[in-house]
Amino acid sequence: MPGGGATGRGVPGGALGAATPAGGDPEEVELRLAAVKRLPRGLGSVRIRLRGDLSGKESVDYVRRIGVDPASAVRSGALQFYRAERGLLLQGEMRSSGVQGEERKGPCPPDVDPDVNRKKGRKCFPHDPDCGCHGPIMLPGMVGWAGGAGKGPHFFIYVGDGPNTFWGHDHTVWGQLADEQSMNAVKAVLDLPVSSGGGMRMLKQKVPFELRLSTR
């Protein structure tokens, strides 16, 4: 899983920009990618639709608070992408000295057995010894906390070509890419040079971003 070096892939299916269900969050966050040496004109923006209906309020509140005071996050030097697994995920962090996250993993979807992972004989990881169900099967463009965590700062964007059944219901999903332009920006970062080590591919040059809240 993200943060742990897993490389499982999914099967065909899924879509970007699905409508937020009634009662979901109308906000989006925009990650304005900074220019890097190889692409001095910049990489565009990644727009993420907040999905509190999938994660619960704690996760989206964390993102909102960083968006309300982006200057603190910039001073903390921790709004950036740093890991690029082409065809699988782009991982980054959004950290602010003024925002403390509350550890609260997402809920199991209502149509899924909460004990589904254990019944399928999945390996339980140390951070989740009960093999809990914490969110939906991830579709391309979904955004969740890395390492099976229930809070920031480390997050990832799934970019596989279908539902990632390998990860099961392990991740707290708090967002979804809003459009194809955002996916194209993510893929542009994934094409940047990487170095390999410890089973992960890390960007040779981290890509900073500015974070802004917006409404649709």
Side-chain angles (χ1 to χ4, degrees):
M1 68 176 54
T7 56
R9 310 280 173 132
V11 294
L16 291 178
T20 302
D25 297 279
E27 299 102 332
E28 294 178 353
V29 290
E30 180 184 6
L31 312 185
R32 299 177 183 176
L33 304 177
V36 295
K37 183 180 294 184
R38 185 180 171 190
L39 294 168
R41 294 184 179 180
L43 295 158
S45 293
V46 176
R47 292 172 49 231
I48 300 173
R49 188 168 300 163
L50 296 180
R51 293 297 303 270
D53 58 305
L54 299 179
S55 67
K57 71 180 185 65
E58 290 82 6
S59 289
V60 293
D61 281 351
Y62 177 90
V63 179
R64 287 189 188 110
R65 282 181 288 161
I66 291 180
V68 168
D69 187 15
S72 294
V74 171
R75 289 194 297 271
S76 300
L79 293 176
Q80 59 190 357
F81 288 110
Y82 59 82
R83 179 186 175 195
E85 305 284 353
R86 190 181 299 178
L88 184 63
L89 64 87
L90 177 64
Q91 187 164 321
E93 62 179 326
M94 50 176 73
R95 184 197 308 271
S96 171
S97 59
V99 177
Q100 300 299 316
E102 179 182 350
E103 177 70 25
R104 184 68 62 86
K105 292 182 171 68
C108 194
D111 58 345
V112 177
D113 182 346
D115 203 28
V116 60
N117 289 335
R118 187 178 295 279
K119 288 181 178 178
K120 288 185 175 181
R122 284 180 55 80
K123 174 186 176 182
C124 296
F125 294 95
H127 63 262
D128 192 8
D130 295 325
C131 285
C133 170
H134 305 301
I137 296 289
M138 294 197 76
L139 301 176
M142 282 187 167
V143 187
W145 298 127
K151 65 174 183 177
H154 300 280
F155 71 100
F156 70 99
I157 302 169
Y158 172 55
V159 298
D161 56 5
N164 196 311
T165 55
F166 180 86
W167 290 338
H169 298 271
D170 294 355
H171 295 290
T172 297
V173 176
W174 55 264
Q176 182 174 7
L177 294 185
D179 49 39
E180 289 291 344
Q181 290 81 1
S182 296
M183 179 63 86
N184 291 338
V186 168
K187 290 181 176 179
V189 178
L190 289 168
D191 284 337
L192 295 174
V194 297
S195 58
S196 299
M200 301 185 195
R201 294 177 176 85
M202 313 302 286
L203 289 166
K204 289 186 176 180
Q205 182 181 2
K206 296 176 181 178
V207 178
F209 56 80
E210 297 179 10
L211 188 151
R212 293 289 185 271
L213 278 176
S214 62
T215 56
R216 290 185 284 121

